Amino acid sequence: TVPIATTPAAAMGLALFYGGLIQLLAGLGEFRIGNNFYALMFCSYAGYWLSLGALYVTGTFGFQSVYTDTTVFGKTLGIFYLGWTIFTLFLLIGSIRTNVFTVIFLVFLWITYVLFTASHFLSDDQYLTQKYNLARAAGAIGIFTAVIGWIAGFAHFLKKDENAYFEIPVIDISRRDRALNGPAKTGTA
């Protein structure tokens, strides 16, 4: 296993380019086709990954060098994650009329952010074990969340008889079809 105190610098290339750049491009693509919810979601989380990468890439931006006390930096990250926790909760509320995969994804992402927020607000001196356990739990749930996101991405991408032999149902819970087609007809005319 990877020790919990390992520097996250090794994953920052992935954070900057896959989490940041690729999601930004996906968000711009969603904006281009008029899908504002997913445009906001992709572009915002691209900003999250780019800003997280900027915090941890050493020598480039130098954000960490400002903090001589690691406890203060930890609390700063707690505020950073608290902001993303609140934003994710708002997106979760807004996703209620999208599809089941998006709702489940945002539920687990919100849990991940809650755990990361709590882990960064714990004191290094008194609660080091609990802090690391919360961070481990957040990481594990975050990996599970990523898998849900990938499955949801493939579910939107795979179209039976077009580019795949099967489809993964996303279970649409929007009212878009009902609004366009009017109320369901129950009898014959």
Side-chain angles (χ1 to χ4, degrees):
T1 63
V2 177
I4 194 72
T6 302
T7 177
M12 289 306 108
L14 185 65
L16 289 169
F17 292 101
Y18 184 69
L21 180 63
I22 298 302
Q23 280 197 63
L24 180 62
L25 294 174
L28 294 175
E30 292 291 337
F31 182 72
R32 185 169 185 257
I33 64 171
N35 196 344
N36 294 333
F37 178 80
Y38 287 108
L40 173 68
M41 188 168 88
F42 282 127
C43 288
S44 296
Y45 289 122
Y48 162 78
W49 283 110
L50 290 168
S51 61
L52 187 70
L55 286 173
Y56 284 111
V57 173
T58 55
T60 305
F61 298 102
F63 292 127
Q64 280 191 24
S65 63
V66 175
Y67 297 97
T68 55
D69 185 3
T70 58
T71 305
V72 174
F73 182 67
K75 303 288 189 239
T76 304
L77 282 176
I79 294 169
F80 174 78
Y81 279 109
L82 179 62
W84 285 104
T85 303
I86 294 167
F87 176 76
T88 303
L89 180 62
F90 289 155
L91 274 184
L92 174 60
I93 293 167
S95 74
I96 298 301
R97 291 181 128 182
T98 58
N99 61 64
V100 171
F101 265 116
T102 302
V103 173
I104 291 172
F105 172 79
L106 288 169
V107 165
F108 281 99
L109 186 60
W110 180 76
I111 293 168
T112 301
Y113 282 140
V114 166
L115 293 172
F116 271 134
T117 301
S119 75
H120 285 294
F121 278 126
L122 287 177
S123 171
D124 287 345
D125 300 334
Q126 298 172 340
Y127 303 105
L128 190 61
T129 303
Q130 293 90 337
K131 178 179 183 161
Y132 285 162
N133 288 339
L134 282 172
R136 264 194 193 100
I141 293 173
I143 290 170
F144 181 70
T145 304
V147 171
I148 294 170
W150 289 329
I151 292 171
F154 282 114
H156 287 334
F157 173 73
L158 296 175
K159 300 295 178 202
K160 189 174 181 178
D161 299 328
E162 287 182 30
N163 62 0
Y165 293 108
F166 62 93
E167 287 186 7
I168 301 171
V170 293
I171 310 170
D172 187 18
I173 53 178
S174 69
R175 296 186 179 188
R176 188 172 306 141
D177 291 338
R178 285 179 261 167
L180 293 175
N181 299 331
K185 299 198 178 6
T186 56
T188 58

